[in-house]
């Protein structure tokens, strides 16, 4: 069958593929330690599920407004005002089918053919693909351990051309776990304003922070950057609601209206009763968020301790999200070779860094139980020893 040319522009999601492979092996009864998870391993908190069940029982089963339930948009605007210092009203918010859908909608609403989007690497693997699907051109800016995997203001300035429209900014970051400091965010914001770009701030890991790391939303740093900021966010990571498919986009009213029109002709509203769960997530107690964060913190420490004892691998200490990004360059293997062999010989599943634009790295997720972490790190140690 002849398919549209745009299909050949994109590559299937490597993380979903490897996760599926590991799951299939597990289903065959093979003892797999999987560190591929891009989602919390906890169930959704009870009060959130209860609110969705109640909505279902009350008949919240019909079409709703394409931009989302008014009460949820209100609650989101309220959260962004009070927690993040972003002066949004309900009209600045659209509820989407997850943070991924927010970003995809944004690219569709914003980009003309050839428009450039600046994406710091290592990046979340869907960013460049979405830009391409929308007809835009991803401009990848490589970062590495020497700058703490952070794009510098100088690099950003150098990447700008007359076609540049948008910077994609993700802190805390997937895959690196990096959290930019307020001063670093301020310095990038100055370049965005100076070059008259837009920035989309993907804040999906906002609540998953460790140690002294703090989250600052780039849009809160002054009126000029606020006017150029779009927030992409969602419930998946902080509230362990990945399967619910609820995210949101916040920005200028005319942008949100444009995205609403696109959504009105594509997905329409997000599952109505699921949105009531999201309202409960925002308005209920935040203790669940903190207890999951604490569990991640313990696992992070355990994993780092084991990893640091493995010669031949190096990794930076992540300050957020639930991933460690490991430099495998000393092994001389590509990230795909490393992950294939690790899975075959030791039954440990990891994501090759090439998926994130860093072929000399692998990503391990610690959104898994402590027993798997201990067992998996032992196997990883054995594997790396076998290489030297
Ligand atoms: C998980 C993730 C998202 C969005 O996930 P959804 O399930 O679509 O809400 C967005 N950005 C990053 C970096 C992520 O890791």
């Amino acid at each position: 069958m002849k398919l549209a040319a745009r299909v050949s522009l994109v590559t299937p999601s490597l993380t979903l593929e490897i996760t599926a492979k590991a799951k299939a092996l597990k289903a065959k009864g093979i003892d797999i330690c999987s560190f591929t998870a891009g989602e919390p391993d906890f169930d959704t908190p009870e009060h959130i599920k209860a609110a969705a069940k109640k909505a279902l029982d009350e008949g919240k089963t019909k079409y709703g407004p394409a931009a989302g339930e008014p009460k949820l948009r209100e609650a989101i605007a309220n959260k962004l005002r009070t927690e993040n210092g972003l002066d949004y009203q309900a009209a600045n918010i659209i509820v989407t089918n997850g943070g991924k859908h927010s970003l995809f909608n944004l690219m569709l609403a914003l980009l003309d053919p050839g428009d450039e989007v600046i994406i710091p690497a290592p990046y979340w693997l869907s960013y460049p693909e979405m830009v391409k699907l929308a007809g835009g051109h991803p401009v990848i800016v490589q970062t590495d351990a020497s700058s703490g995997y952070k794009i510098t203001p100088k690099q950003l300035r150098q990447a700008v051309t007359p076609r540049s429209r948008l910077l994609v900014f993700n802190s805390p970051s997937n895959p690196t776990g990096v959290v930019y400091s307020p001063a670093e965010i301020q310095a990038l914001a100055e370049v965005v304003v100076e070059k008259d770009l837009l920035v989309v701030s993907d804040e999906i890991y906002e609540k998953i922070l460790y140690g002294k790391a703090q989250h600052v939303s780039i849009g809160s740093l002054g009126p000029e950057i606020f006017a150029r900021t779009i927030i992409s966010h969602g419930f998946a990571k902080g509230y362990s609601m990945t399967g619910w498919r609820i995210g949101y986009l916040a920005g200028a009213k005319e942008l949100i209206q444009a995205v609403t029109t696109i959504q009105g002709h594509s997905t329409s509203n997000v599952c109505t009763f699921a949105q009531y769960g999201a309202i409960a997530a925002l308005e209920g107690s935040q203790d669940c968020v903190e207890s999951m964060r604490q569990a991640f913190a313990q696992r992070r420490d355990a994993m780092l301790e084991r990893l640091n004892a493995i010669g031949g691998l190096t990794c930076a200490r992540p300050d957020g999200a639930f991933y460690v990004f490991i430099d495998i360059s000393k092994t001389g293997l590509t990230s795909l070779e490393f992950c294939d062999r690790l899975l075959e010989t030791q039954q440990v599943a990891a994501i090759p860094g090439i998926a994130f634009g860093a072929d000399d790295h692998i990503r391990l997720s610690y959104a898994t139980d402590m027993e798997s972490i201990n067992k998996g790190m032992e196997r990883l140690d054995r594997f790396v020893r076998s290489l030297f």
Side-chain angles (χ1 to χ4, degrees), residues 72-95 102 201-204 206-207 215-221 226 229-235 239 247-252 256 282-283:
L72 178 54
R73 294 172 77 198
E74 202 65 68
I76 292 166
N78 187 47
K79 176 246 181 277
L80 294 172
R81 277 197 311 272
T82 55
E83 289 185 5
N84 306 104
L86 300 163
D87 187 19
Y88 290 126
Q89 308 300 321
N92 298 106
I93 313 294
I94 180 169
V95 181
S102 292
S201 184
D202 179 350
E203 306 191 350
I204 195 101
E206 171 187 12
K207 302 285 182 185
H215 176 77
V216 170
S217 186
I218 189 167
S220 69
L221 298 176
F226 179 65
T229 297
I230 301 133
I231 306 289
S232 176
H233 210 317
F235 296 83
Y239 296 98
Y248 54 90
L249 197 68
I256 298 305
L282 288 179
E283 292 184 344

Side-chain angles (χ1 to χ4, degrees), residues 198 219 222-229 252:
L198 295 169
E224 286 184 310
I225 186 67
F226 179 65
R228 290 169 175 80
T229 297

Side-chain angles (χ1 to χ4, degrees), residues 98-100 124 127 170 174 202 204-205 236-237 245:
K100 190 178 262 185
W124 186 47
Y127 297 144
N170 176 218
N174 175 6
D202 179 350
I204 195 101
Y205 293 100
K237 310 293 163 56
R245 311 310 303 133

Side-chain angles (χ1 to χ4, degrees), residues 38-40 96-103 123-127 130 169-175 202-205 232-237 241-248 321-323 356 363:
E39 60 183 342
T96 60
N97 286 285
K100 190 178 262 185
H101 186 222
S102 292
L103 292 159
Y123 47 73
W124 186 47
L125 72 175
S126 294
Y127 297 144
M130 291 172 173
F169 184 68
N170 176 218
S171 174
S173 154
N174 175 6
D202 179 350
E203 306 191 350
I204 195 101
Y205 293 100
S232 176
H233 210 317
F235 296 83
K237 310 293 163 56
M241 291 171 69
T242 45
W244 291 60
R245 311 310 303 133
I246 312 183
Y248 54 90
F322 38 71
Y323 311 101
F356 314 104
R363 189 193 77 178

Side-chain angles (χ1 to χ4, degrees), residues 19 69 99 106 140 194 213 220 231 283 285 305 316 330 361 370:
T19 309
E69 291 295 299
L106 171 68
I140 308 297
E194 173 197 318
S220 69
I231 306 289
E283 292 184 344
S285 161
E305 196 183 310
K330 283 187 196 141
H361 286 71
M370 209 62 110

Side-chain angles (χ1 to χ4, degrees), residues 14-223:
L14 200 58
T15 54
L16 294 183
E17 206 174 297
I18 290 170
T19 309
K21 196 167 161 185
K23 270 188 187 154
L25 287 169
K26 208 170 208 165
K28 277 196 207 155
I30 297 169
D31 175 26
I32 299 282
C33 290
S34 183
F35 300 104
T36 58
E39 60 183 342
D41 54 323
F42 306 104
D43 194 6
T44 301
E46 223 30 75
H47 69 283
I48 298 174
K49 293 202 287 187
K53 287 181 200 167
K54 180 162 171 279
L56 194 50
D57 288 340
E58 285 173 352
K60 303 269 196 285
T61 56
K62 304 294 185 190
Y63 288 138
E69 291 295 299
K71 203 169 162 232
L72 178 54
R73 294 172 77 198
E74 202 65 68
I76 292 166
N78 187 47
K79 176 246 181 277
L80 294 172
R81 277 197 311 272
T82 55
E83 289 185 5
N84 306 104
L86 300 163
D87 187 19
Y88 290 126
Q89 308 300 321
N92 298 106
I93 313 294
I94 180 169
V95 181
T96 60
N97 286 285
K100 190 178 262 185
H101 186 222
S102 292
L103 292 159
F104 185 69
N105 275 338
L106 171 68
M107 300 309 170
L108 281 186
L110 210 58
L111 301 180
D112 276 323
D115 280 352
E116 293 178 358
V117 177
I118 299 171
I119 303 174
Y123 47 73
W124 186 47
L125 72 175
S126 294
Y127 297 144
E129 308 304 309
M130 291 172 173
V131 170
K132 287 188 276 180
L133 282 172
H137 180 62
V139 174
I140 308 297
V141 176
Q142 207 65 46
T143 75
D144 57 27
S146 68
S147 65
Y149 302 100
K150 292 168 181 168
I151 185 172
T152 64
K154 189 175 166 205
Q155 280 181 306
L156 176 56
R157 205 173 274 119
Q158 282 171 347
V160 174
T161 77
R163 294 307 307 265
S164 305
R165 289 292 324 271
L166 178 72
L167 166 68
V168 179
F169 184 68
N170 176 218
S171 174
S173 154
N174 175 6
T176 61
V178 157
V179 179
Y180 286 69
S181 73
E184 288 162 343
I185 296 174
Q186 175 71 48
L188 291 173
E190 281 166 19
V191 181
V192 170
V193 171
E194 173 197 318
K195 298 291 185 185
D196 200 18
L197 303 174
L198 295 169
V199 55
V200 60
S201 184
D202 179 350
E203 306 191 350
I204 195 101
Y205 293 100
E206 171 187 12
K207 302 285 182 185
I208 307 177
L209 294 170
Y210 311 108
K212 292 201 173 67
Q214 59 176 124
H215 176 77
V216 170
S217 186
I218 189 167
S220 69
L221 298 176

